[in-house]
Amino acid sequence: AADRAAADPSSAAASVSALVQTERLSRQSLPIDLVAYGEVLTGRIEAVGFARAGQVAQLRVTPGQRVRKGATLATLASDPASRLAYSQAANAVRFAQSELQRTERLLALQLATRSQVDAASRQLQDAQASLDAQIELGGNLGSATVLAPFDGVVTSIAVAQGDRVQPGASLLQLGHVDAMQVQLGIEPDDSRLVRPGMTVDVRPLDAGAQSVPATLTQIQGLVDARTRLVMAVAALPAHTSTLVPGMRVRVTIHVGRREAWVVPRQAVLADAQGDHVFQVAGGKARRVAVTQQQQTGEQVAIDGALDAALPLVVLGNYELQDGMRVREPVQQQERAR
């Protein structure tokens, strides 16, 4: 017998069998996900200024600082020109008042006309209007404070302490934190699968961090020259506490679903010829070339010329060759019957 086996190696290989464990193939509906990376940004950014000229006496915030609505951002000292204009307007009102009173006394003595009284009254009204305008500009104040108009993050500061600023000039920029967003980059080949309105999961790069649901709101139609990616924007829910501006995040985009064969990860092998699995047909192993499409935990979605009626080898497949005889544990054979 040994001489016959040495003379015919194929017959010896045919007599060899491997103990394997099999299971039925199952086809499942799996989500199609794309993974991208991005950065958390504040929401809409607004410039914060002041209606009148002045000198920056004190800055109360720094870039990146979170502020609440009504918090003091800066203190401005009145501009000398504004104080001078207010003083001139106040003096003009006092002079116009005394001039009107004098003209009215002259009218009572019949030494002035009614038109002169009306002219003095009109002069007082004009002076009062000029004074009111200077008060609105803050000329009557020695100093004033700039307050935060909403809850936000200071993204940049355009002035330094001691700078003189013109009326309406931007002092700093404040970004909304009640509706932050994520800017992410998508591979150009994958961008055709993505559209606004798709749901995404945003997760910090820290292991174990919880994901935050978001929605894609904008997808650019060109490739960024610096990153060579198509940039997109996802809106985060209001008052998200686990994400802060500047944080790097991993974004999973839920593109859709697809039907695929789902098998245990250990059922898929790889060698020089590519990925493959083994099915059992007539008590022998049959090698089937496959392509891995998606991996989720211990499960792998594959595609290939698989036969749904044949069991799939999930354990013991490392010893198999195409056409090798296989045997299964007695318990599994009884379950199959």
Side-chain angles (χ1 to χ4, degrees):
D3 293 339
R4 286 196 301 272
D8 189 2
S10 61
S11 64
S15 64
V16 176
S17 64
L19 181 64
V20 299
Q21 182 177 333
T22 63
E23 65 178 37
R24 292 183 177 276
L25 276 173
S26 63
R27 197 166 180 84
Q28 299 179 18
S29 176
L30 297 177
I32 303 175
D33 295 337
L34 296 177
V35 176
Y37 294 89
E39 181 181 357
V40 179
L41 305 176
T42 62
R44 187 177 71 256
I45 296 177
E46 297 185 15
V48 178
F50 204 62
R52 63 184 179 86
Q55 185 177 17
V56 180
Q58 189 177 16
L59 284 171
R60 300 288 188 88
V61 293
T62 57
Q65 181 177 336
R66 281 199 179 211
V67 295
R68 304 286 294 179
K69 181 179 180 180
T72 300
L73 303 178
T75 302
L76 269 69
S78 295
D79 183 70
S82 298
R83 292 199 300 268
L84 175 61
Y86 171 77
S87 298
Q88 290 176 340
N91 292 334
V93 169
R94 287 192 292 269
F95 176 80
Q97 288 174 341
S98 61
E99 186 67 16
L100 176 60
Q101 293 171 359
R102 188 177 68 84
T103 305
E104 287 176 342
R105 288 195 300 268
L106 292 175
L107 176 64
L109 297 174
Q110 296 184 353
L111 297 176
T113 63
R114 173 57 60 181
S115 61
Q116 289 175 319
V117 173
D118 293 341
S121 177
R122 185 172 62 253
Q123 184 179 6
L124 175 60
Q125 293 174 358
D126 293 342
Q128 186 63 51
S130 297
L131 179 61
D132 292 341
Q134 292 300 321
I135 292 175
E136 290 183 4
L137 292 175
N140 60 323
L141 302 176
S143 63
T145 56
V146 180
L147 305 179
F150 52 83
D151 294 349
V153 172
V154 179
T155 59
S156 65
I157 298 178
V159 296
Q161 189 166 322
D163 287 352
R164 295 186 181 277
V165 294
Q166 297 300 315
S170 174
L171 303 179
L172 52 85
Q173 289 189 323
L174 200 62
H176 285 262
V177 293
D178 54 348
M180 295 187 296
Q181 58 188 10
V182 176
Q183 186 178 51
L184 59 142
I186 303 172
E187 292 290 342
D189 291 342
D190 296 333
S191 63
R192 56 185 178 83
L193 304 175
V194 181
R195 62 182 183 276
M198 285 184 170
T199 58
V200 302
D201 288 330
V202 181
R203 186 188 302 272
L205 297 182
D206 298 337
Q210 276 192 334
S211 64
V212 176
T215 305
L216 281 179
T217 58
Q218 180 184 350
I219 301 171
Q220 295 184 358
L222 51 83
V223 176
D224 185 84
R226 181 175 58 87
T227 64
R228 310 310 301 171
L229 299 173
V230 176
M231 307 308 294
V233 175
L236 292 169
H239 306 292
T240 302
S241 59
T242 57
L243 301 175
V244 296
M247 179 181 287
R248 296 288 298 174
V249 292
R250 181 178 187 269
V251 182
T252 303
I253 307 171
H254 304 301
V255 178
R257 304 188 70 86
R258 64 181 168 197
E259 294 287 331
W261 299 109
V262 179
V263 301
R265 185 172 59 181
Q266 67 267 20
V268 182
L269 303 176
D271 58 16
Q273 299 178 19
D275 294 338
H276 61 279
V277 298
F278 285 101
Q279 291 188 278
V280 178
K284 295 183 179 181
R286 174 188 293 179
R287 175 174 171 141
V288 181
V290 296
T291 302
Q292 297 191 47
Q293 296 181 333
Q294 183 178 340
Q295 180 173 329
T296 305
E298 296 298 320
Q299 302 291 315
V300 180
I302 60 175
D303 186 25
L306 297 166
D307 189 338
L310 299 179
L312 177 75
V313 179
V314 295
L315 288 177
N317 49 355
Y318 286 95
E319 302 177 358
L320 294 181
Q321 296 179 5
D322 194 22
M324 179 181 290
R325 290 189 177 277
V326 299
R327 65 185 190 279
E328 301 179 40
V330 176
Q331 298 86 343
Q332 185 169 341
Q333 292 176 357
E334 292 176 351
R335 286 196 302 268
R337 287 198 295 266

